[in-house]
Structures are given as structure tokens and as C-alpha cells.
Amino acid sequence: MPDVTTEARHHPLYVPLRAEPSPAPVAARGPEPIRMPSPAPAPAAHPAPAPAARPAPCPVPGPAPRLAPERLRTGIVAGAGALGLLWGVQARPSARLDALFATGAHLTGLLAGYGVLVLLLLMARIPAVEHGVGADRLARWHAVGGRYALGLIGAHALLALCGYAVHTRTDLVTATGDLLSYGAIATATAGTALFVAVGVTSARAVRSRVRHETWRAVHLGTLLAAALGFVHQLAGPDLAGGLATRWLWSMAHATVAVLLLWYRLVVPVRAAFRHGLRVVEVRDEGPGVVSVLVRGRGVARLCAEPGQFFRWRFLRRGLWATALPFSLSAPVRDDTLRITVKALGDHTRRIRRLRPGTRVLAAGPFGALTAHRRTRRKVLLLAGGVGITPLRTLFETLPGGPGDVTLLYRASDEAGLVLRAELEAIARERQAALHFLLGPSDGAFDPLAPRALRDLVPELAAHDVYLCGPPGMSRAATDSLLRAGVPASRIHSEDFDHG
């Protein structure tokens, strides 16, 4: 890629620290020693680049509001319980087969409608929810909840069909034709077909073969499906008979619709006009890895915390249609945001060809991998590959004295160490421990084994652990940390491998 030279070449993000002698970072050793990283200085084009300027403070006073996962989970379960109570109050005990089918259809229908509403709420990108629960956990809940919702929709349709067939003493084919003659049921059937399409394209075996743009377009059909289902629900016996119930149900749907419209459309568009973000530099960081610097007006008002990410939309051919989630790889300074990207697919390869002046839309910040999760004085940051990006910002900004913060960076070889010079400069400046764990993932010695981790990090079980890396590495590291005695509540991670 040709070198891009702009005003950002001397941006504070890349101002060298003062030179101070310090021990070189060490690599983990085992039966098959991993090569120790060379202590040689970085090339001249990349001076030891830890910033001298302090991160820009958020102009909004006080901590950002966050909804704890437990409270959100409790609220969701309480809502389902309230619907079950509503169904129980309206149910009329009967031993007739058609009545039993109809009662089951009413319960599954109510729960299915509520489930769809919850799924939309989870993906509304409400800041308090995103910052408290975490985008990856929300995505997992959304995926699991989607399966339950589809199951309830299918159960509702089958029970209603069987109940109608028994009541009219007809076969299922005839009953199906009769039911589709009702407008509200026809709309519900169309909505169900859209939900099924979303479920099919989200299945792991199918998702890997479908382009992201296609998957996203099908997912947008969920909004139409929810609207069609709402029309059907208002005509159903559980809502049609009570004015107060219809009003509450309608207000719940209207509230979720407003939240979706506000946070997924109005807020990003408003931010685009307010901040006027543009690319100012694309910097080569290593084999297949580039950093993109984006500058705008009043960027500090975004209140982006170290460890968080944005969904980036670069307004150029081949990239504008897709919002790509990338973590900040440096704290916000001088109205500038920085991301560091490894070329892993078509979109990330195109990012290498961005030019200064390209307009950028950035939705966010999102994510809960931030300092607010910290519960202990000592912190271990455990990164793999390009997963170093959010942990690099935490490595620089987490409060602590000498020895309080440790960074372990796993890579197959020295070429895979991203932002190495910056990490070494930060370690010197704050007298923090930095270890590069080099070697093939299938090697005889596993540097992430419980014993190896305990050897590198004394009193490991007393640490908070922030973890970010490829899915396989993250799962293996989590298992090792648990076996090494670190409680699950103190292992903080975010990943997006949800299939």
C-alpha cells in the first residue's frame, strides 16, 4: 500500500515518550521455549509511539448510566410472568379438546409477541443497556431469544390450527384454508414467513454462506414481521376484549418503535452532522494491519471510554453499505479517533485503500469492556492477535501503580504483534508488566495453560481479567483462567462469534 502522508503524521497519538531505560518485555517459556521478542528499537517510521498528551475528558459530568445484566434479565422475566398472569386470569377451564388447544394457542401467542418485542429492544442500541450489559452479551441473548420466539410462534400456529380443526370437525388442510380467509390471520402468516426467513439465514450453517448485506436485509424484515404480528394480536381474544390491555400492549410496541427509531437512525444521523468525521490518515502497522485516524468536531462529546467500539460506515464505494464494528485502539485525543484493522475479508481489505478526506459515519460508542467492570486493584489484560486493540487503550489508561497492571499478548510469531512499539512505551512509562506469548497454537507448550499463567502472573486468582482475542483463543483462555482459580465474575470479555 502506498504511504499516506497527511497532517496526522505528527498527531499526538504518535508522539514518542521520553527515552527511559527499562527491562525488555519477556516471552513465556516452557518445554519448547517461545522466542523472546527482540529488544531492538522500532523502525524510524514508527517511533516509540505512546502519546504524551492526556486523553480528552468527556464533557458530560458524572458516570454514564448503565443497566446491569441482572436487572435487565429480571425485568424480562417479570414481563413474561405478567403475561402469564394475564393469560391465567382470562383462561376458562374446560375439558373440551378444542378449548384446550385454544387456551394453549392464546398463551404461546402472547409469549411470542412479547418475545419479539424483547428481541427488538435488545437490538435498539440503547446506551444504558449497551454500556451495562455489553454488545456481545446482548447479541447472544438475541440469538437465544430468537430461537425461543420462533418456537413459540410455531407452537401458537399449530395449536390454533388444531383447535380450529377440532372445533369445526374438519381436516388440517381445510382448516388452514379457512383460517387464511381471515385478514388478521393472513397478515400473521406473512409475518411468520418473514421470521422463519430470518431464523434460517441466522443458522450457523447458512450464515457463513450468506453475504452480510443479504443477511442484514433479511433481518430488516423483522420490523415488518413485528408490525404484521401486532395487527394480528390486536384482533385476538386476549387483547380485543379489554381496553386497558389493548392500550398497554399498544404503548409497549410504540415505546420500542420510538427507541429503535431514535437510537438506530436519529442519533447516528445527528452525530454525523454534529461531528463531521473524516479520515485523516491510514497508517501501515504491519503485515495486513493498518490504523485509521478519523477526526471531527467536538469528538470528546461522544464520551468514548477505553475498551469501547463504534460501528463504522466509510462513505466510499464497497464500504458505505456496511457498518463495521471496530474498537478504538487509542484514547480520544485532539478530536481524533483511531481504529486498527487487520485484513480478514473483503471489507477489511478495502479499508487499506481509504484516502484522507473520506467521510465517516460512526455509531456509538458501544461495549462494556471498560474500567467500570474492575473490582480489584490488580488487573490482567489478556489479548490475542488484533484483539489487542481495546486492551491497548486500557493498558494505557487503567489507574494503578507499578505492578498493578499486566498485559499478556498471545501471537504466533513476532510479525503478529500489533502496535508492539506502543505497548513497550506504555509499559516503560507506567512500569507495567508486559509479556509476549509467542508460538504456534498447536505447539507442545501452551503458554495459556493454568500453570503457565500462574507462573507469569503471581496471585492470578486475585486479579480482574480483561480478555479479547479470536474465539478459539478466548474460549481456551477462559477455561484456563477458571482452572487457575479466577472466578467467572472477574473474567471480562467481549466477542462476536454468535453464528
Side-chain angles (χ1 to χ4, degrees):
M1 189 186 76
D3 186 36
V4 180
T5 302
T6 71
E7 64 206 351
R9 175 60 63 182
H10 302 293
H11 189 274
L13 283 170
Y14 291 99
V15 173
L17 286 175
R18 60 184 181 276
E20 293 182 0
S22 65
V26 300
R29 297 181 180 273
E32 291 190 7
I34 298 175
R35 291 192 302 161
M36 180 181 294
S38 170
H46 294 275
R54 298 183 62 184
C58 174
V60 179
R66 292 182 173 91
L67 180 64
E70 297 77 16
R71 291 190 177 183
L72 179 58
R73 189 186 298 113
T74 300
I76 292 172
V77 173
L83 277 181
L85 181 62
L86 173 65
W87 168 80
V89 169
Q90 295 183 353
R92 297 292 181 264
S94 174
R96 286 172 32 217
L97 184 58
D98 59 342
L100 291 175
F101 277 129
T103 301
H106 296 164
L107 177 60
T108 52
L110 281 172
L111 292 176
Y114 175 72
V116 170
L117 208 56
V118 169
L119 293 177
L120 295 176
L121 182 66
L122 293 179
M123 292 293 102
R125 297 179 184 170
I126 302 169
V129 177
E130 290 273 351
H131 298 170
V133 180
D136 66 327
R137 184 178 293 171
L138 288 172
R140 287 196 298 269
W141 288 4
H142 182 82
V144 173
R147 299 185 190 105
Y148 280 112
L150 276 175
L152 288 167
I153 290 171
H156 168 71
L158 182 60
L159 289 169
L161 178 61
C162 291
Y164 184 82
V166 171
H167 182 73
T168 58
R169 298 181 180 181
T170 58
D171 59 84
L172 293 179
V173 175
T174 303
T176 300
D178 291 344
L179 286 174
L180 289 176
S181 66
Y182 294 94
I185 293 178
T187 59
T189 302
T192 299
L194 288 172
F195 280 127
V196 170
V198 171
V200 169
T201 56
S202 297
R204 187 178 298 272
V206 177
R207 175 73 185 275
S208 60
R209 296 175 171 82
V210 176
R211 296 178 69 248
H212 179 79
E213 291 80 4
T214 303
W215 174 85
R216 183 175 176 81
V218 173
H219 248 66
L220 288 176
T222 304
L223 301 177
L224 176 59
L228 295 174
F230 176 66
V231 172
H232 169 69
Q233 292 153 17
L234 290 181
D238 296 294
L239 300 178
L243 180 61
T245 305
R246 286 168 59 89
W247 184 84
L248 287 172
W249 195 252
S250 300
M251 287 302 299
H253 280 73
T255 300
V256 172
V258 168
L259 290 172
L260 279 167
L261 182 65
W262 181 257
Y263 287 112
R264 298 203 62 150
L265 182 61
V266 175
V267 169
V269 170
R270 183 183 63 180
F273 283 104
R274 173 182 292 175
H275 301 295
L277 298 176
R278 291 178 181 269
V279 172
V280 293
E281 182 180 3
V282 179
R283 178 182 289 237
D284 202 345
E285 300 285 6
V289 180
V290 295
S291 285
V292 181
L293 273 70
V294 176
R295 183 178 293 163
R297 302 181 301 271
V299 170
R301 285 191 290 176
L302 291 170
C303 294
E305 300 178 52
Q308 291 188 314
F309 70 94
F310 287 77
R311 290 183 171 91
W312 306 85
R313 196 181 297 272
F314 299 96
L315 302 187
R316 59 146 285 174
R317 183 179 178 182
L319 286 173
W320 68 269
T322 302
L324 303 167
F326 296 120
S327 299
L328 296 178
S329 62
V332 178
R333 292 185 178 87
D334 192 27
D335 276 340
T336 302
L337 303 166
R338 189 186 77 176
I339 58 175
T340 301
V341 181
K342 184 173 183 178
L344 298 173
D346 292 341
H347 289 93
T348 48
R349 279 192 289 270
R350 292 187 185 111
I351 286 176
R352 295 175 59 86
R353 297 192 290 272
L354 287 173
R355 290 292 179 263
T358 301
R359 290 184 178 273
V360 183
L361 302 182
F366 302 114
L369 194 68
T370 59
H372 89 277
R373 285 192 173 183
R374 184 179 184 178
T375 63
R376 294 292 186 273
R377 181 174 65 87
K378 289 186 174 293
V379 176
L380 168 63
L381 307 174
L382 182 52
V386 78
I388 188 62
T389 52
L391 301 191
R392 178 254 181 259
T393 61
L394 291 170
F395 191 44
E396 179 182 344
T397 60
L398 279 176
D404 285 346
V405 180
T406 300
L407 173 61
L408 305 183
Y409 189 2
R410 181 78 172 97
S412 58
D413 52 37
E414 291 187 57
L417 296 174
V418 180
L419 305 175
R420 173 181 173 178
E422 294 188 25
L423 298 173
E424 292 174 339
I426 293 169
R428 284 198 306 270
E429 176 73 7
R430 63 179 309 175
Q431 301 178 49
L434 171 62
H435 302 275
F436 298 133
L437 312 181
L438 305 180
S441 59
D442 57 354
F445 173 63
D446 180 9
L448 298 180
R451 182 174 178 178
L453 291 175
R454 284 194 295 262
D455 288 343
L456 280 171
V457 187
E459 301 179 346
L460 174 62
H463 285 63
D464 268 311
V465 181
Y466 288 77
L467 171 63
C468 189
M473 174 263 182
S474 295
R475 287 190 292 268
T478 299
D479 181 65
S480 290
L481 290 166
L482 292 172
R483 288 192 287 145
V486 181
S489 61
R490 296 212 300 270
I491 302 175
H492 316 300
S493 65
E494 282 189 334
D495 70 82
F496 299 90
D497 183 46
H498 311 306

